[in-house]
Amino acid sequence: VVVVGDPDRSSVSATVEAGSLEVREGTGGLKALTDADRAEIKRTLGDKALLHTAEHPTITFRSTRVTGTPQSFEITGDLTIKGRTHPATVHGKGNGDGLLRGWATVTQSTWGIKPYTAFLGALRLADEVQMEFEVARLEPADAPP
């Protein structure tokens, strides 16, 4: 529910298919991230059950507080990954055309995820990763009475 001009009365609920997550870029490390590496990481997230997608096919977020404006906002809430729920903060920005971009930093081990590693550690994901999203159009739910 988005209440324009009154973020305290707004709420956000999101569900993501766990198998749809992809690594888009990597920085640092001993080896540059290639398209083949990205494909292998995506396969490993599901096939080797790092996210246990068969048991936990979705990742959910439910807000507990929304602050800011549509142009610059912060949403705190409960993030559930692999059946474990912990607090998370999402930061975001919007443009005048309704496009929203946001990000949250997630420490994988908090949710019981062992960070991906390959080539004897030459290629690995950090425990702390930034998740990003882009929403082209929001459809507000009916506001509660």
Side-chain angles (χ1 to χ4, degrees):
V1 178
V2 177
V3 181
V4 177
D6 193 357
D8 288 338
R9 292 184 49 217
S10 298
S11 64
V12 175
S13 171
T15 301
V16 175
E17 296 296 324
S20 72
L21 296 178
E22 295 181 14
V23 172
R24 293 178 51 196
E25 66 180 54
T27 58
L30 301 174
K31 178 183 180 300
L33 190 64
T34 66
D35 288 341
D37 294 333
R38 285 185 194 85
E40 175 59 22
I41 292 168
K42 184 170 177 68
R43 235 183 340 274
T44 302
L45 286 174
D47 292 348
K48 295 185 181 174
L50 291 177
L51 289 176
H52 298 273
T53 55
E55 295 170 39
H56 305 286
T58 59
I59 295 170
T60 60
F61 178 80
R62 305 267 183 264
S63 68
T64 55
R65 184 167 185 225
V66 179
T67 59
T69 66
Q71 292 76 35
S72 179
F73 55 88
E74 184 174 282
I75 305 168
T76 55
D78 296 319
L79 178 62
T80 303
I81 303 172
K82 287 179 54 178
R84 297 180 184 191
T85 303
H86 295 282
T89 301
V90 174
H91 306 274
K93 295 187 180 295
N95 65 14
D97 297 334
L99 180 68
L100 297 177
R101 289 190 171 115
W103 60 94
T105 300
V106 175
T107 303
Q108 297 178 81
S109 59
T110 300
W111 281 270
I113 302 166
K114 182 180 177 188
Y116 176 85
T117 185
F119 304 112
L120 303 173
L123 176 64
R124 62 189 165 111
L125 292 181
D127 191 16
E128 192 172 88
V129 296
Q130 182 169 303
M131 300 177 72
E132 298 178 355
F133 68 88
E134 187 173 280
V135 178
R137 190 177 87 204
L138 287 179
E139 303 239 357
D142 292 330

